[in-house]
Amino acid sequence: MSNQGLFAEKRAHERVQLKWPVKYRVLEEKVSAQNVGEFAQSENLSQTVDTSLGGVCVAQDGRLSAGKLLNLKLLLPGNHEMITAFADVVWATPTLAGLHFLAVKEKDLGLLSERLKNVRTA
């Protein structure tokens, strides 16, 4: 019996290998008035390894672990456009993390779709 069909791709959206800048903030359960300033400075910088309409894989330095919720800003090169989303960390290694988009504005999803289409046809 062949093992050829055992590990089929389960992703709903095609991944495109891109290195786009990303800013993210891990969302904690509570933010009090005393630590609002710290929250504003808790933004982390990274870059995507691959991107799809369903999420991104990002480079990381071990800060992220599966189950964390993030506020994510994906910076699109060129016109300085930005896509904002809420995402959860589905998996993480010491150097990479797979993020699944939980909430993205319709306008931002359209912009991302157009950019990914342009990259694939270039």
Side-chain angles (χ1 to χ4, degrees):
M1 181 175 176
S2 170
N3 291 336
Q4 197 170 10
L6 291 180
F7 300 103
E9 180 69 42
K10 294 181 182 180
R11 299 187 191 283
H13 305 285
E14 178 184 356
R15 293 178 288 169
V16 179
Q17 291 187 354
L18 295 168
K19 291 187 178 181
W20 285 346
V22 173
K23 293 181 183 180
Y24 68 88
R25 202 176 267 133
V26 177
L27 299 176
E28 302 296 332
E29 291 182 25
K30 291 184 184 178
V31 175
S32 67
Q34 289 83 15
N35 67 9
V36 168
E38 290 175 21
F39 180 75
Q41 295 177 5
S42 66
E43 200 164 65
N44 298 286
L45 300 175
S46 185
Q47 72 178 12
T48 62
V49 175
D50 64 46
T51 304
S52 78
L53 288 177
V56 294
C57 176
V58 297
Q60 71 135 345
D61 59 4
R63 296 180 194 185
L64 298 176
S65 58
K68 295 282 187 184
L69 295 177
L70 307 177
N71 180 300
L72 185 75
K73 295 175 184 173
L74 181 60
L75 308 170
L76 305 180
N79 299 341
H80 304 291
E81 297 165 307
M82 181 172 41
I83 292 170
T84 336
F86 288 101
D88 65 338
V89 180
V90 178
W91 59 266
T93 69
T95 58
L96 298 172
L99 313 180
H100 173 253
F101 295 145
L102 296 173
V104 183
K105 292 179 185 174
E106 187 98 16
K107 173 185 74 102
D108 286 351
L109 202 55
L111 179 60
L112 180 58
S113 176
E114 190 61 35
R115 281 299 193 92
L116 291 175
K117 190 185 318 176
N118 289 343
V119 169
R120 283 191 300 261
T121 59

